Structures are given as C-alpha cells and as structure tokens.
Amino acid sequence: MRLDLITIVVDDYDRAIAYFTGALGFDLVEDSPSHTNDGRPKRWVVVRPPGAETGVLLARADGRRQAGAVGDQVAGRVGFFLRVDDFDAAYERMTTAGVEFVSAPRAEHYGRVAVFRDIAGNRWDLLGPAR
C-alpha cells in the first residue's frame, strides 16, 4: 500500500506547472486532456519531486466552492511537507526562484525547517536534516 497522489486545487494549470517544475524543481509527470464527471474538458496534471513515488495532482478549481479553497486547503495550517537532503542548497535555489518564505530557517529536534507558500498560497514546510 502507498499514497499515490494528493490534490492541490489551483486557479491556473500552466502557472501551477511553471511554479512546481521551475521554482520547486518537481518533474512534470503527466499533462493529459481529461473530462469532468459531467463531461466538460479539463486536464490531468501530475507533478512529483525527482525520485519520489507520491505525486501532486494539480486540479484547476471548478466552481465557486473550489475556487474558495485555492490557497486555503488546510485552513491556514502547514499542510504539505517537502523533505530535501541539502537544506541550504534547496532554500537558496527556491529563494532565488522567487518562492515566498514566511519564516526564516530554524532548527528543530526533527531537523531544519522553513515555511513557504506555494503559488496558490498553501503553506508548506521545507524540511532538511539536522546540522
């Protein structure tokens, strides 16, 4: 058993793909035409950190209720966790790429951490090993 995908609701496929592949360094695994349950066109867009098994389904908001969830999928909490081997290199690369960090890096018992917002506004922890 494994967790295959998680969904992040976004307002625009192409901007989200550019952010996740450019600023975060994820791989674009799939970008295929698809349809909603009632037959309207949409895209099936999956990105994934290099070498990871679990991917992120980027789902464009469909309707007011989903549009209201963009950037607030976990009610303002950190809801996503990106673990890296080289915290300093990832932090520098992401900062240079324009990622919005909302906290400075700090040391915790579980390693180094800094909170950032994704393109939609969701909060993530960038996690690295302890020094």
Side-chain angles (χ1 to χ4, degrees):
M1 186 182 311
R2 66 184 168 90
L3 184 62
D4 188 44
L5 294 171
I6 60 161
T7 298
I8 293 182
V9 181
V10 298
D11 59 6
D12 181 84
Y13 289 121
D14 294 322
R15 286 187 334 111
I17 290 169
Y19 177 85
F20 278 89
T21 60
L24 298 187
F26 285 26
D27 294 328
L28 178 61
V29 176
E30 186 173 358
D31 184 357
S32 303
S34 188
H35 294 89
T36 62
N37 291 337
D38 60 3
R40 291 173 290 122
K42 69 174 186 175
R43 287 160 63 183
W44 183 261
V45 177
V46 177
V47 294
R48 179 181 303 139
E53 288 189 27
T54 302
V56 176
L57 175 68
L58 301 175
R60 187 183 63 203
D62 185 13
R64 277 194 349 218
R65 182 172 179 215
Q66 290 181 21
V70 172
D72 195 28
Q73 294 190 157
V74 291
R77 293 187 61 113
V78 171
F80 308 97
F81 303 84
L82 181 61
R83 183 163 297 278
V84 296
D85 293 329
D86 187 336
F87 182 90
D88 291 327
Y91 181 81
E92 182 178 331
R93 183 186 54 74
M94 291 168 64
T95 301
T96 300
V99 172
E100 176 195 0
F101 279 89
V102 297
S103 75
R106 66 184 191 277
E108 296 289 347
H109 70 279
Y110 50 82
R112 296 185 65 208
V113 61
V115 178
F116 69 93
R117 292 187 192 276
D118 68 20
I119 191 168
N122 297 298
R123 294 166 59 99
W124 292 62
D125 273 356
L126 175 64
L127 298 166
R131 288 188 184 210

